[in-house]
C-alpha cells in the first residue's frame, strides 16, 4: 500500500521495499544517520538484506559509530533512488560481528520506507548490455538516422549519433521525431528538439541532448515506465551477489525485432566486420562504464568472449581480415580486440581447452582498459619522466579490481594475461618485475602477441613497424621475449599474414584475405589506394575493391599460387634492411596480423 504522509510517500508493500533496499546495496548508494542532534550522513555499505528479518551493515569505514550504536542509539538509512530520496524509519542494532577484519552490524528490517520524490529530475542511464536504439527522423524530409540512447528522463534524453548529423542538430530549430527501439521489440515515438551537442573525437560520435515536446498523459505514463525499468535493470545487473529482482522484460532480446543502433548505421567492408564490431562495441561501452566508476560487467564480458570464440570457429581468416576494417574504433579498442583475436587463434592452434580459450579472450579484451582511467596527456606523451612512467604503468593495477565481479574468469589466466602481459623474462617489465620461471607460459605468449601489435601501430614515438622489422625486433631480444613463442607466432600467422597490403610488379595494390597451406596468398582483395582498409568509408563507395576471382588475370595467377614473397615490392622506405635482403617489403597499414 502507498499512502501520502506529509511531503513524502510511505511505501508499505514488501516487494517494493525489498526492491528499493536492493538498490541501496550498490557501492556508494547508502548513508547512515545517527539519531542524535547534528548528526551528518556517513557513507555505509548495506552488505546484505534478509527480507522480513534483518539488514546487515558494514561499518568498517565509520567505526566511530559503533560505540553509540552499542549504547542503543537509533539510526536511519538514506539513499538516492530513481524516484528520489529513500529513507528508512528509525532502526536499532541487535548484534555486531567481526568478519575477516570487517565490522558488521545487524539491525531490524524496516516495515516501511519513506520516499521524497524528484521524478522529473532523474536521469536513468542504460548500463552495459542494455542497448536501446533510437531512430531519428527529420519531419521536413525523409532522412532517418540511427543512434544509441545514453540516458533518459521525463523531460528529455541524450542520444549518441554519427558526426554527420552535426549540421542537422546545429541548424534545426524544429522538433525531430525520436523512436526508441527496445531489445524486446517495443517501440516508443515522441517528438523532441535538440538543445545541445558535443563531439567525442576519440570515439567519433556526437552526443545530442534533446528536450521533449509537450506530451500526452499516455506518453508521460510510458516514459515513467521506461525510466523506472532502465534504472531497475541497471541496479539488477550491477549487483555482484544473487538478487531476487526479476529481469526487465524490456531488455529480453527478441530475435525477430530489427536491430537498431549507432553501429548498425555504419557501412562495413565485410559481413564479418559488422559482426566483429559488436565485440568492439562492448569494449567501447565498457570504457565509458569504467570512466563512470562502474566495474567490468561480468555477464557482458562473458557474452563478448563467447561471441569472439564463435566467430573464430566459424571463419578465422575472415575475423583476422576484419580486424583491418575497424579503423573507426579508438586505438585502445582496436589494440585490445586484436590482442584477443590473435591470442585465442594461437590457443586454438595449440588445442587449448575451450574454457581456457574463453578466459584468454575475456582477459585479453580487458587487459589494457585501465588506460582509459589515465589522463590523455600522459598516454600521448612519448617522453615520459620516471615519475610519469610509474603513473602510466599503474594502468594494470587500475583494471585488476574492476574484474572482481567476474567470478567465472580464471584467476590464473587473469594473472597470466591481464597482470603479466607487460612483464619480461629479464625482469624489466611491469608491474611486478617478474623474471625467468616466474612468467607463466601464457604470460610469455601474451607478451609476444601484445608487443607485436603495439609495435605495428603508429603512436607518439613514430609510425608502426613492418612485419619483418617486428620479427627482427623480437628475435634480437631473447632476454626479454621467449624465443619459442616468437618463432611460433610468426610461423602461425606467416610472412604475408592476412590483412597485409601488397604491391605487385604491375602496380596493383591488394590486401591479403586468405593464405594457402604454405602461407602464400590464396585470395586477395584489390585496393584503390595505399590507405589502409580503415579508410573504406571514403573509397568503398567511390571505387569499390574487387576480389581477385573476378578481376586482374595477372594478379589472379599470382594469387592462385604462382607468386612468391619477392612478387611484393616495397611501397615505401626502399632502403630498409628488409628490401636489401631481397625480400619484398610489406606495407603495413596501421595494424599487423
Amino acid at each position: 500500500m502507498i499512502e501520502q504522509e506529509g511531503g513524502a510517500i510511505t511505501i508499505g508493500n514488501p516487494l517494493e521495499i525489498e526492491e528499493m533496499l536492493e538498490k541501496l546495496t550498490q557501492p556508494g548508494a547508502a548513508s547512515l544517520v545517527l539519531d542524535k542532534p547534528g548528526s551528518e550522513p556517513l557513507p555505509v555499505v548495506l552488505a546484505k538484506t534478509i527480507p522480513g528479518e534483518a539488514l546487515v551493515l558494514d561499518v568498517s569505514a565509520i567505526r566511530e559509530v559503533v560505540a553509540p550504536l552499542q549504547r542503543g542509539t537509533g539510526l536511519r538509512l538514506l539513499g538516492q533512488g530513481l524516484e528520489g530520496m529513500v529513507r528508512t524509519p528509525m532502526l536499532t542494532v541487535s548484534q555486531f560481528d567481526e568478519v575477516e577484519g570487517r565490522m558488521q552490524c545487524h539491525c531490524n528490517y524496516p516495515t516501511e520506507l519513506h520516499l521524497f520524490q524528484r521524478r522529473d529530475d532523474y536521469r536513468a542511464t542504460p548500463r552495459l548490455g542494455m542497448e536501446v536504439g533510437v531512430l531519428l527522423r527529420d519531419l521536413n524530409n525523409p532522412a532517418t538516422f540511427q543512434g544509441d540512447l545514453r540516458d533518459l528522463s521525463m523531460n528529455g534524453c541524450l542520444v549518441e549519433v554519427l558526426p554527420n548529423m552535426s549540421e542537422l542538430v546545429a541548424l534545426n530549430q524544429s522538433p525531430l521525431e525520436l523512436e526508441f527501439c527496445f531489445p524486446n521489440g517495443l517501440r516508443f515515438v515522441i517528438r523532441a528538439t535538440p538543445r545541445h551537442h558535443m563531439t567525442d573525437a576519440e570515439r567519433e560520435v556526437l552526443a545530442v541532448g534533446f528536450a521533449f515536446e509537450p506530451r500526452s498523459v499516455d506518453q508521460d505514463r510510458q516514459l515513467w515506465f521506461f525510466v523506472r525499468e532502465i534504472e531497475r535493470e541497471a541496479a539488477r545487473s550491477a549487483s555482484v551477489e544473487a538478487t531476487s529482482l526479476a529481469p526487465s522484460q524490456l531488455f529480453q532480446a527478441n530475435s525477430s525485432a530489427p536491430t537498431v543502433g549507432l553501429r548498425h548505421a555504419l557501412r562495413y567492408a565485410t559481413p564479418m566486420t559488422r559482426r566483429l564490431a559488436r565485440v568492439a562495441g562492448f569494449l567501447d561501452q565498457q570504457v565509458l562504464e569504467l570512466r563512470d566508476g562502474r566495474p567490468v560487467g561480468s555477464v557482458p564480458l562473458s557474452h563478448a568472449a563467447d561471441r569472439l570464440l564463435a566467430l573464430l570457429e566459424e571463419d578465422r581468416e575472415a575475423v583476422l581480415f576484419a580486424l583491418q576494417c575497424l579503423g573507426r574504433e579508438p586505438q585502445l579498442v582496436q589494440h585490445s580486440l586484436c590482442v584477443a583475436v590473435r591470442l585465442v587463434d594461437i590457443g586454438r592452434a595449440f588445442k587449448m581447452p575451450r574454457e581456457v580459450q574463453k578466459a584468454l579472450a575475456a582477459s585479453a579484451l580487458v587487459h589494457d582498459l585501465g588506460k582509459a582511467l589515465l589522463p590523455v596527456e600522459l598516454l600521448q606523451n612519448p617522453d615520459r619522466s620516471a615519475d610519469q612512467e610509474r603513473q602510466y604503468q599503474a594502468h594494470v593495477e587500475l583494471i585488476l579490481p574492476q574484474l572482481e565481479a567476474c567470478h567465472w574468469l580464471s584467476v590464473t589466466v587473469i594473472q597470466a594475461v591481464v597482470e603479466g602481459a607487460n612483464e619480461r623474462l629479464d625482469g624489466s617489465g611491469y608491474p611486478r618485475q617478474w623474471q625467468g620461471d616466474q612468467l607463466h607460459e601464457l604470460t610469455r605468449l601474451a607478451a609476444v602477441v601484445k608487443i607485436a601489435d603495439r609495435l605495428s601501430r603508429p603512436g607518439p614515438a613514430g609510425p608502426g613497424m613492418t612485419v619483418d622489422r617486428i620479427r627482427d625486433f623480437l628475435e634480437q631480444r631473447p632476454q626479454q621475449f621467449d624465443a619459442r613463442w616468437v618463432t611460433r607466432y610468426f610461423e602461425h600467422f606467416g610472412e604475408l599474414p592476412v590483412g597485409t597490403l601488397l604491391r605487385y610488379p604491375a602496380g596493383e595494390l591488394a590486401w591479403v584475405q586468405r593464405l594457402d597451406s604454405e602461407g602464400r596468398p590464396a585470395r586477395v582483395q584489390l585496393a584503390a589506394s595505399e590507405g589502409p582498409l580503415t579508410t573504406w568509408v571514403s573509397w568503398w563507395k567511390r571505387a569499390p575493391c574487387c576480389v581477385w576471382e573476378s578481376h586482374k588475370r595477372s594478379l589472379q595467377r599470382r594469387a592462385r599460387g604462382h607468386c612468391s614473397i619477392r612478387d611484393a615490392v616495397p611501397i615505401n622506405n626502399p632502403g630498409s634492411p628488409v628490401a636489401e635482403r631481397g625480400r619484398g617489403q610489406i606495407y603495413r597499414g596501421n595494424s599487423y596480423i
Side-chain angles (χ1 to χ4, degrees), residues 379-384 454-455 457-465 469:
L379 297 175
Q380 296 178 345
N381 184 2
D383 301 312
R384 291 187 286 264
R454 186 179 68 79
L455 291 175
R457 296 181 178 278
M465 293 184 181
R469 288 186 61 198

Side-chain angles (χ1 to χ4, degrees), residues 343-415:
L343 194 58
V344 174
D345 194 48
I346 293 176
R348 293 180 66 243
F350 280 84
K351 309 298 183 184
M352 294 182 186
R354 198 178 193 282
E355 59 269 23
V356 175
Q357 294 179 34
K358 179 176 179 179
L360 282 175
S363 297
L365 284 172
V366 301
H367 82 281
D368 243 12
L369 296 193
K371 291 179 180 177
L373 304 176
L374 296 177
V376 175
E377 55 272 16
L378 182 65
L379 297 175
Q380 296 178 345
N381 184 2
D383 301 312
R384 291 187 286 264
S385 65
D387 184 58
Q388 289 174 325
E389 186 62 29
R390 283 191 293 271
Q391 295 178 43
Y392 172 80
Q393 294 176 3
H395 72 82
V396 180
E397 301 291 356
L398 290 174
I399 192 61
L400 288 173
Q402 309 305 323
L403 297 171
E404 292 178 355
C406 303
H407 302 302
W408 60 271
L409 190 51
S410 165
V411 175
T412 300
V413 178
I414 291 177
Q415 185 181 59

Side-chain angles (χ1 to χ4, degrees), residues 72-301:
T73 302
L75 65 92
R76 295 180 189 269
L77 289 182
L78 303 177
Q80 288 293 339
L82 164 64
E83 299 89 347
M85 188 186 76
V86 177
R87 187 185 70 187
T88 68
M90 196 63 63
L91 307 176
T92 56
V93 175
S94 57
Q95 71 178 75
F96 287 88
D97 294 316
E98 188 88 19
V99 180
E100 297 181 353
R102 310 294 298 181
M103 178 62 73
Q104 296 184 344
C105 64
H106 295 240
C107 58
N108 56 301
Y109 191 88
T111 57
E112 62 183 26
L113 294 176
H114 303 298
L115 174 65
F116 298 85
Q117 286 188 304
R118 55 179 184 85
R119 191 179 79 156
D120 289 349
D121 296 331
Y122 186 81
R123 288 189 174 273
T125 303
R127 290 207 60 190
L128 192 62
M130 297 169 57
E131 290 81 13
V132 181
V134 183
L135 293 174
L136 305 94
R137 303 184 184 94
D138 185 349
L139 299 176
N140 299 318
N141 64 62
T144 299
F145 300 88
Q146 295 189 46
D148 292 332
L149 182 67
R150 283 293 165 249
D151 66 44
L152 178 67
S153 73
M154 294 297 294
N155 294 320
C157 63
L158 185 69
V159 180
E160 285 188 345
V161 297
L162 293 178
N164 61 2
M165 266 199 70
S166 59
E167 184 176 351
L168 177 67
V169 299
L171 302 178
N172 198 332
Q173 300 300 315
S174 59
L176 301 179
E177 183 178 79
L178 307 185
E179 182 175 355
F180 300 125
C181 306
F182 291 91
N184 70 341
L186 183 64
R187 301 292 184 100
F188 174 74
V189 179
I190 193 169
R191 291 189 178 186
T193 302
R195 296 299 189 194
H196 59 83
H197 62 274
M198 181 175 63
T199 300
D200 186 331
E202 180 187 10
R203 298 173 56 235
E204 295 188 30
V205 297
L206 185 70
V208 185
F210 288 92
F212 294 140
E213 293 293 293
R215 52 195 183 270
S216 67
V217 174
D218 185 59
Q219 286 179 316
D220 196 70
R221 178 186 59 79
Q222 287 182 284
L223 273 175
W224 183 232
F225 169 74
F226 297 146
V227 172
R228 285 174 59 92
E229 285 297 288
I230 291 173
E231 196 275 343
R232 179 176 173 277
E233 182 65 12
R236 189 191 70 83
S237 61
S239 178
V240 176
E241 305 296 335
T243 173
S244 59
L245 292 178
S248 169
Q249 292 301 310
L250 276 181
F251 297 97
Q252 301 304 299
N254 183 345
S255 58
S256 63
T259 306
V260 176
L262 180 62
R263 292 176 182 277
H264 298 279
L266 297 172
R267 296 175 64 93
Y268 292 99
T270 68
M272 183 60 78
T273 307
R274 179 175 293 279
R275 298 165 68 186
L276 188 62
R278 296 188 62 187
V279 183
F282 155 76
L283 289 172
D284 188 41
Q285 184 63 21
Q286 185 60 76
V287 166
L288 297 180
E289 294 266 310
L290 289 170
R291 287 172 176 166
D292 286 342
R294 303 188 185 99
V296 172
S298 175
V299 174
L301 177 60

Side-chain angles (χ1 to χ4, degrees), residues 48 87 297 305 513:
K48 187 177 182 181
R87 187 185 70 187
Q513 280 193 322

Side-chain angles (χ1 to χ4, degrees), residues 437-485:
D437 294 340
Q438 291 180 299
L439 274 69
H440 191 282
E441 201 69 21
L442 291 177
T443 301
R444 297 164 183 247
L445 169 59
V448 172
V449 174
K450 178 179 173 64
I451 193 65
D453 185 75
R454 186 179 68 79
L455 291 175
S456 73
R457 296 181 178 278
M465 293 184 181
T466 63
V467 178
D468 286 331
R469 288 186 61 198
I470 293 172
R471 183 165 191 166
D472 290 343
F473 179 93
L474 294 177
E475 288 178 344
Q476 292 168 9
R477 291 166 174 77
Q479 75 280 8
Q480 292 186 322
F481 302 100
D482 191 310
R484 296 171 304 132
W485 282 114

